[in-house]
Amino acid sequence: NSEEKPDANKPLQLVGRWRRNDGNDEFLYPKQRAIDMHQELLLTYLNHLKSTKQNLSEIIKNIAINNTVIVVTANMGQSELLMNLICSSRRRGLDTKNLLVFPTDVHTKELAESLGLTTFYDDHLMRFIPKEESARYGDRTFALIMIAKVVCVQLVNELGYDLLFTDIDVVFYRDPMEYFRNPTLGNFDVYFQDDGSRQERYAPYSANSGFYFIRSNERSKILFRSMMYSGDIIIACRSHQQVLIALLEEYNSLFGLTVKVLSREEGDFPGGYHYHMRKDIVKKMVNGEIKPYIFHMSWTLNKVNKLEYMKQMGMWFVKEQCIGKQVDEIFAGEVDTTDNTETCCSAEPIIQCFYRDKPSVVPCRDAPAKDSNGQSFW
């Protein structure tokens, strides 16, 4: 019984490694609906794989820098987060030439291209993905968006390119490729941001699947092909993070896949764990004592929370007139097909207080508390 609570008076028994101390099992067996959906997606993927790879290869060869691309995916419901990633990067003078967007719908494709970004859109693969944002972490829409993340990474990896995958609730402060191309770093196959969570289902690596660097080789190709074939479990568990971590552990043991998780104790790659649990490190960021490469606003319930936290941290650069809008609504039919960054991107961060007990770049003492008995960050 996967729900049976541990009993110290009973003999030891074999359990799965996703079994929690309270007796609940984090492994959810796929139901027929998830199996059917995954099989249909996989059949579509395989039937179009040859032409998909040919078309994608033609695009990547024109933008790759040192055989490397930055990969993101987004749907229309997350479009303002995509814009913020680009706006914040360009305001800091960071090059987005080798950034490739895998939009899941036509509206997001048009929006990305209006910002001067390179896109690859395949209606056959992306028709399964909802256009709206997930209402909360772990819901069905969230799970299907996770499938899109697997597809885009697997295709680029299979073509022989190294890649940096980043969620779009990330802001770049420095070029992270300077870190991953540093010869003193070591030659690991995969590098992951530390999620910060120490739940059983994330053991042993606690790798965050929203920011990672992959070297394309035979080991990493097997890893991401296996992820493609695990879509039914991803849909059932509503998390590709725990499936990915399980495969990292298995393939590290099986054929020596080398895995590096970036320390959560340092300030180079902070995220939601630091925002909520390590305010000492965030305070050093605010005071300029440390300058991270990126900040990943993970550990949030939904998009509303992300935007609130990013705005009070001085991470938000998207003008209100562009939020949640399609291209024809933003530009009224007058679209510069090369780059419309200035229309939607603010020259300075748009700062707004929401919660006094959450980190902020300015004092928010007069704002309400988010958590019960929350004390002011300042």
Side-chain angles (χ1 to χ4, degrees), residues 50-332:
K50 183 175 180 180
S51 61
T52 299
K53 289 172 66 174
Q54 288 175 341
N55 295 335
L56 180 59
S57 179
E58 288 300 312
I59 292 173
I60 295 181
K61 72 180 184 181
N62 292 320
I63 66 169
I65 299 175
N66 297 323
N67 200 54
T68 304
V69 292
I70 301 171
V71 173
V72 303
T73 185
N75 66 2
M76 192 60 204
Q78 305 166 316
S79 59
E80 55 264 55
L81 287 168
L82 172 63
M83 284 192 285
N84 192 63
L85 172 63
I86 302 308
C87 291
S88 59
S89 296
R90 290 177 177 168
R91 289 307 181 210
R92 295 187 173 101
L94 300 177
D95 188 5
T96 57
K97 174 185 178 298
N98 69 330
L99 189 146
L100 178 60
V101 181
F102 284 77
T104 66
D105 55 79
V106 173
H107 297 307
T108 308
K109 175 181 184 294
E110 293 171 348
L111 186 64
E113 291 175 352
S114 76
L115 297 172
L117 299 173
T118 303
T119 68
F120 180 78
Y121 175 67
D122 189 312
D123 181 62
H124 298 295
L125 291 177
M126 295 305 182
R127 64 188 176 89
F128 300 91
I129 312 302
K131 293 179 176 60
E132 70 274 9
E133 79 267 20
S134 58
R136 60 184 293 125
Y137 172 86
D139 66 12
R140 182 174 177 275
T141 298
F142 180 90
L144 290 172
I145 292 172
M146 298 306 103
I147 296 292
K149 294 182 181 183
V150 174
V151 170
C152 64
V153 168
Q154 193 275 328
L155 286 170
V156 175
N157 173 257
E158 190 77 17
L159 287 172
Y161 290 93
D162 298 343
L163 68 95
L164 175 66
F165 177 83
T166 179
D167 277 349
I168 52 178
D169 58 349
V170 169
V171 292
F172 288 7
Y173 288 91
R174 293 189 280 164
D175 181 1
M177 292 313 306
E178 294 178 359
Y179 181 92
F180 294 116
R181 290 304 187 192
N182 187 329
T184 66
L185 183 62
N187 196 31
F188 290 87
D189 296 321
V190 293
Y191 301 79
F192 287 86
Q193 181 187 35
D194 191 329
D195 183 86
S197 173
R198 295 300 183 255
Q199 298 177 56
E200 289 91 337
R201 64 181 178 147
Y202 295 155
Y205 292 116
S206 190
N208 188 297
S209 55
F211 185 84
Y212 56 88
F213 178 73
I214 305 294
R215 299 188 195 279
S216 183
N217 55 39
E218 295 309 313
R219 294 179 295 277
S220 63
K221 288 178 181 179
I222 293 176
L223 171 68
F224 282 98
R225 280 199 298 269
S226 298
M227 283 292 290
M228 274 297 302
Y229 301 147
S230 301
D232 53 346
I233 304 176
I234 294 172
I235 295 170
C237 294
R238 301 189 175 185
S239 168
H240 80 310
Q241 183 175 1
Q242 64 191 77
V243 177
L244 177 56
I245 291 171
L247 290 174
L248 289 174
E249 180 183 25
E250 177 67 17
Y251 291 166
N252 171 259
S253 172
L254 184 62
F255 51 76
L257 177 82
T258 52
V259 182
K260 173 70 173 177
V261 178
L262 308 169
S263 174
R264 70 176 186 176
E265 303 305 319
E266 299 174 6
D268 286 335
F269 296 94
Y273 160 75
H274 302 86
Y275 189 77
H276 297 287
M277 307 295 291
R278 289 297 305 274
K279 295 180 181 178
D280 57 321
I281 289 181
V282 181
K283 183 84 76 171
K284 289 180 179 179
M285 272 184 60
V286 172
N287 293 337
E289 298 173 44
I290 58 174
K291 186 177 181 181
Y293 284 94
I294 60 107
F295 193 98
H296 183 188
M297 195 56 79
S298 53
W299 281 39
T300 50
L301 181 64
N302 52 39
K303 187 179 71 174
V304 172
N305 289 158
K306 289 184 189 296
L307 268 60
E308 290 172 342
Y309 299 156
M310 294 173 91
K311 285 179 181 178
Q312 71 176 44
M313 275 296 292
M315 299 176 180
W316 194 254
F317 288 82
V318 181
K319 297 175 183 177
E320 188 67 28
Q321 69 208 45
C322 297
I323 294 179
K325 302 292 181 60
Q326 297 178 14
V327 165
D328 56 352
E329 296 175 298
I330 296 172
F331 303 107

